[in-house]
Amino acid sequence: MKKTHNKKTCLQRYAPAAVLMLCLLLLPAPLPQPLPPPFIHTAGPLPLPRAPEKTSAFFPVPDALHPRISFWKQVFTEYTRQQVLLHDEYYVNIIYEITDLEKKEEKPWQRVRAAQEKYRNLLKEMDKKWDTPELMPREVRRLFLLYKTVQEIPRFRIRDAQKRVHAQIGQADSFRQGMIFAGRYLEDMKEILRIYGIPEKLGCLPLIESAYNPYAVSFAGAAGLWQLMDFTAKQYGLKMDHIQDQRRDPLTATAAAAQHLKNNYRVLQSWPLAITAYNHGLQGMINAVRSVKSSDISDIISQYEGKSFGYASRNFYPEFLAALEIFANPERYYGELEQEGPAEAEYFTLPHYVSVQSLEKYCGLSAEMIREMNPGLLESAYDPRNFLPKNYLLRLPPDCRIHMEENYTHVPAHLKYAKLPTPTRHRVRRGQTLSDIAKISGVSVRDLARFNNIRNPRTLRAGQILRIPGNTKQLSAFSASGPKKSPRNPLPGKNENRHRVRKGQTLSEIAQIYGISAHAIARINKIRNKKHIRAGQVLLIPEG
């Protein structure tokens, strides 16, 4: 009996612990805890966040940007280029009025400017009577109610709104057309972006830059789908002369833009900052991060006081986010929308300098087809006195390359040239005009201007050196040889010839862009001290 009693006592003693253990085993596993925030490391002079992991969002959408994104979605989908939104330049979603531009109106923007002045006066009165809204006239009180619920940013006081009356033209019609045009290039562009190891969604940037129009040119001189400035384009090896502007070639320009964006991200380690730097400049964003002591795009938009960091730069990333959302759901905003199919093409490498007229006569091509398939060629390329460049990748319709290779052998030897004469040079004398110099040199004013990238002939100055295009009579004929094999679908890559140093760049950073050692660049450029390079300096880049 004593033994049995001891067994019962043992069971009674351990039963509660056993039940508790069983309950714990039946409980669900604890949820995984979030990873600690990324540590801060130093990249050059900047403390920057660690590069995002693969699982992180490339393009975060901060809550503070929602009003801006909403505004740009309206601009891109609700209002056409015949409508102007009058609104607050900083609190962009505060819209005062929508003004319609009448097509037959002689000076419609005079009416817009008059409306801007009207709202400046109304907002001044709102400021004066802010504490006594009951005394405000009806129109002033309407504006007061628009602002009353806004969460004010100290740097942009609501009561200073009269200084921020902005006119934004609608873009729904051009944006919709851009969505259609995107189908021509987007798949090839995504492939190039993949090659350079950057997010494919960056292929949406041309939507806000040019609406996928390769012929787009801005007031500042940016050109092509990606709206590259000539200085930036030359940094990445694009050719611009009186015959071609590769910023207008969709795929070649995409390769340059991809390298530019990748370099921005390599320095800034944030895609919102890298995208904003595409508009504001890399050094500008480095300055912004230093000034605000934050790499959060919302902080920079609300706090950075850089003189050139204005309306366009503040809104560039929100515009991109709005474009991404519209691009993902086009039917929601435009109804049924059918994109154009991919612009399929083959390529033929021109073995010689040859005129468009020779290709028309002997190869069965038309100038209209060449113009349509090769937007990188300028109008001067079709002048009988000019030649398409040797080794130029001529874009042709599908299934035309083999016929082109056969027909090219029929072009007479005296119409194909191994090289063009080196352009002569002319130093502008006091009082000389571009017309005078063109007449002396036996070339047209337009060719002379294009050959020297002169947009305004009135800017010509005494002492300036002009290059004079060679005369065709000086060319020595080159006997025809078999054409080189051409790639069916080439993807442009890096041009590793010269590099102009940008402000803030180091020799190590430049070497990393080209995948070579800083020592190799220093040796070929005879640089003894690798720290002594300056902005604007042109460096020779050896092949990797």
Side-chain angles (χ1 to χ4, degrees), residues 1 42 53 61 66 185 201 221 245 276 286 313 332 336 367 373 381 393 395 397 407 435 467 473 489 495 504:
M1 290 292 293
T42 301
E53 305 294 339
V61 186
H66 283 301
Y185 314 113
K201 286 185 178 180
D245 185 344
T276 308
I286 290 173
S313 298
R332 176 181 172 185
E336 190 173 346
M373 297 292 295
L393 277 175
R395 202 163 181 262
N407 293 337
S435 179
R467 298 186 308 146
K473 292 178 182 177
N489 187 25
N495 179 291

Side-chain angles (χ1 to χ4, degrees), residues 90-222:
Y90 183 79
Y91 303 101
V92 291
N93 57 320
I94 302 294
I95 299 172
Y96 312 133
E97 177 184 308
I98 309 298
T99 301
D100 290 328
L101 304 178
E102 298 176 13
K103 291 182 179 179
K104 295 181 181 179
E105 199 171 356
E106 189 173 341
K107 296 180 179 179
W109 279 93
Q110 281 188 353
R111 186 156 51 84
V112 173
R113 284 191 285 272
Q116 284 181 283
E117 188 59 31
K118 179 188 82 170
Y119 282 104
R120 288 190 191 102
N121 292 329
L122 291 172
L123 291 164
K124 283 179 187 177
E125 190 168 355
M126 181 187 78
D127 176 28
K128 291 177 183 177
K129 298 181 178 178
W130 184 265
D131 297 322
T132 56
E134 67 278 2
L135 300 179
M136 292 178 179
R138 182 180 176 182
E139 188 66 3
V140 176
R141 185 170 173 79
R142 179 180 74 85
L143 299 176
F144 170 77
L145 293 175
L146 287 175
Y147 279 105
K148 191 176 179 182
T149 57
V150 169
Q151 187 175 356
E152 187 177 67
I153 302 295
R155 184 167 165 250
F156 297 97
R157 294 178 66 247
I158 288 173
R159 294 173 66 172
D160 293 333
Q162 70 269 17
K163 301 174 184 177
R164 301 192 302 267
V165 180
H166 186 263
Q168 172 63 53
I169 195 165
Q171 297 178 29
D173 42 357
S174 58
F175 207 82
R176 184 182 188 280
Q177 190 60 56
M179 296 279 290
I180 294 170
F181 286 161
R184 298 178 182 176
Y185 314 113
L186 199 55
E187 288 309 309
D188 285 337
M189 289 167 64
K190 284 181 177 179
E191 185 177 349
I192 294 170
L193 297 176
R194 282 195 297 270
I195 287 172
Y196 282 95
I198 62 178
E200 294 178 17
K201 286 185 178 180
L202 289 169
C204 276
L205 265 181
L207 200 54
I208 62 175
E209 286 282 28
S210 66
Y212 288 99
N213 176 9
Y215 301 99
V217 179
S218 75
F219 290 112

